[in-house]
Amino acid sequence: MSTMLFPVGRIQRTATGFQGHLSRDLEHEADAVWAMLTDAAALAQWLAPGSIQPQPGGAVRIDFADSGTVIDSAVTAFEPGRVLEYSWSSGDQPQRPLRWELHPRGGGTRLELFVEIPAGEDVAKACAGFEGHLEMLATALEGVPTRFPFDLFVQTRKAYAEQVARLG
């Protein structure tokens, strides 16, 4: 039995579905982590090719060419170096807000991610996907290119599915 690299985040029910709360303690200053979230060249290293206009109302476009998914939304919260929020959706799809929060800690940063998933969608799959991308972000901060960690995705998806089952 393999062990998890990170503790799995928490899922809770909301009025419209579920919210996942994932976090990472990173050994990098908040400015470096912020650049990973907002710089187009950095996004391509851990998430997918895209761009985020760094301002409230700014355009967000992220293209997951492999899956055919394109995120086309707008920044809904923006506090430079601290908070970035946008919807993980396009067009008439349900809103799926993502909220990234950075909390400096010593010489590092705690990165917290809040993922809103509408009722009827696979919250375990969504949260496990973000666990994989957070792992890729941590690796990219070290300057090491990496592929999506599918084994981590499979492990965390199972753990998240168990959490959802306990919620009833």
Side-chain angles (χ1 to χ4, degrees):
M1 178 96 184
S2 60
T3 58
M4 298 282 261
L5 293 173
F6 300 104
V8 175
R10 296 186 320 271
I11 294 176
Q12 63 185 21
R13 284 198 178 277
T14 66
T16 58
F18 297 93
Q19 180 188 68
H21 177 206
L22 290 64
S23 65
R24 287 288 187 284
D25 288 317
L26 303 165
E27 299 297 321
H28 294 270
E29 299 280 345
D31 288 351
V33 178
W34 184 253
M36 296 304 287
L37 299 178
T38 57
D39 179 74
L43 278 173
Q45 295 176 42
W46 67 274
L47 192 58
S51 62
I52 297 174
Q53 289 180 328
Q55 63 193 35
V60 176
R61 183 164 176 83
I62 303 170
D63 187 351
F64 290 85
D66 293 344
S67 69
T69 300
V70 175
I71 305 309
D72 191 3
S73 67
V75 173
T76 51
F78 186 83
E79 297 173 35
R82 294 188 50 235
V83 175
L84 174 64
E85 184 179 278
Y86 53 90
S87 181
W88 195 248
S89 54
S90 294
D92 294 333
Q93 294 176 346
Q95 292 296 294
R96 298 177 191 94
L98 288 182
R99 183 177 177 89
W100 304 89
E101 295 182 2
L102 279 63
H103 305 279
R105 298 215 165 157
T109 305
R110 167 159 278 194
L111 174 61
E112 294 190 89
L113 171 60
F114 299 89
V115 182
E116 301 279 341
I117 305 295
E121 293 188 9
D122 190 341
V123 64
K125 179 180 177 183
C127 288
F130 281 109
E131 290 287 358
H133 284 292
L134 286 174
E135 175 66 7
M136 291 175 72
L137 185 150
T139 303
L141 278 165
E142 299 298 332
V144 179
T146 188
R147 292 184 176 274
F148 185 81
F150 190 72
D151 289 347
L152 177 67
F153 169 80
V154 170
Q155 289 179 332
T156 56
R157 186 176 185 182
K158 182 175 187 261
Y160 279 120
E162 290 167 0
Q163 272 192 57
V164 172
R166 286 194 299 272
L167 292 173

